[in-house]
Amino acid sequence: MLITLDGPAGVGKTTLAKKLAEKLQIAYLDSGAMFRGLAYYLGQDKLNLSEEGLKPILNNFQFQLVLEGKDYFLYLNQKKLGEEIRTEEVGFLASSLGKLKVVRDFLKAEQQRLAENTSLVAEGRDMGTVVFPQADYKFFLDADCEERAKRRYKQLKMLGKEADLTLILEQIKQRDEQDRNRPIAPLKPAADAIIIDTTRLSLEEVFLKILSYIK
Ligand code: DC
């Protein structure tokens, strides 16, 4: 079974995809974490390289999806990806890397390799449109950017972190703009995706809605 969950930053994909994978007892693939992992290890200066220059560097990277207890974790070259990739700076760099064809081709092949012989829930921007067009169920989650900014703000506050709502809203808008308007694999629903506007729904309501479609 293959389920894709796509949507913009801060819409709740990660929480929902994890919850869904746990409920269905299948693997969970966070494709955003793969873009973030590359961004974290490559750094800002590699963005100045030509795509030809980047290609051999990318070939030194390999991802692993590892089951530990009942959860799946992503490793990049044997190193577990953790909180270090979760900053907005890494997120924006990931989004910038995501504009490059050479990066998208490399990660698409990695994502498809990780999904070989495994049922999974894959979340990201182009899971249903480009990477897993054959998925059994495709969902596209959306919400107003103000609502997504508020959710991210609350999440950070709950973790006891500093947060500035105006700045978060600005960052979300910037990343949306970049993800929706890139020529290759832009953020958009697949023609056969089930679109859910989550602006006025709780996480539990969205989860139940998703489950109601899955036989
Ligand atoms: O889902 P996320 O916020 O962790 O993703 C970080 C960035 O990575 C996102 O802004 C764009 C890029 N990305 C992508 O281009 N395609 C994906 N399938 C997943 C993420």
Side-chain angles (χ1 to χ4, degrees), residues 1-6 13 16-31 111 115 118-129 131-141 190 192-194 196 206-207 209-215:
M1 160 123 72
L2 208 48
I3 301 173
T4 59
L5 223 77
D6 289 304
K13 293 185 304 286
L16 285 160
K18 271 189 190 163
K19 205 169 149 79
L20 189 60
E22 200 173 300
K23 171 89 183 173
L24 302 173
Q25 298 197 322
I26 60 178
Y28 156 66
L29 180 68
D30 178 354
S31 67
Q111 287 148 4
T118 324
S119 287
L120 56 72
V121 180
E123 64 135 309
R125 304 291 186 288
D126 61 342
M127 295 294 99
T129 47
V131 181
F132 301 116
Q134 78 285 18
D136 301 288
Y137 299 97
K138 299 179 185 179
F139 296 94
F140 188 90
L141 306 180
D192 52 351
I194 297 156
I196 304 176
V206 181
F207 182 62
K209 218 176 181 40
I210 291 177
L211 271 186
S212 74
Y213 287 99
I214 299 173
K215 306 279 177 318

Side-chain angles (χ1 to χ4, degrees), residues 99-124:
K99 290 195 276 187
L100 306 176
K101 181 173 183 329
V102 69
V103 171
R104 299 212 76 87
D105 286 349
F106 169 72
L107 285 181
K108 179 179 162 187
E110 283 288 274
Q111 287 148 4
Q112 291 176 339
R113 180 178 62 75
L114 293 177
E116 265 168 19
N117 313 315
T118 324
S119 287
L120 56 72
V121 180
E123 64 135 309

Side-chain angles (χ1 to χ4, degrees), residues 7-11 13 32 35-36 85-96 99 125 148 152 168-182 187:
V11 79
K13 293 185 304 286
F35 282 85
R36 285 172 182 267
I85 64 165
R86 295 290 156 200
T87 66
E88 192 46 43
E89 289 69 33
V90 173
F92 191 72
L93 189 52
S95 166
S96 304
K99 290 195 276 187
R125 304 291 186 288
R148 286 185 280 129
R152 183 82 7 127
I168 294 173
L169 179 59
E170 208 36 57
Q171 289 168 332
I172 280 188
K173 281 184 179 165
Q174 247 186 359
R175 202 133 65 85
D176 271 9
E177 154 83 20
Q178 199 159 252
D179 292 344
R180 287 186 206 272
N181 296 319
R182 65 175 171 240
L187 167 66

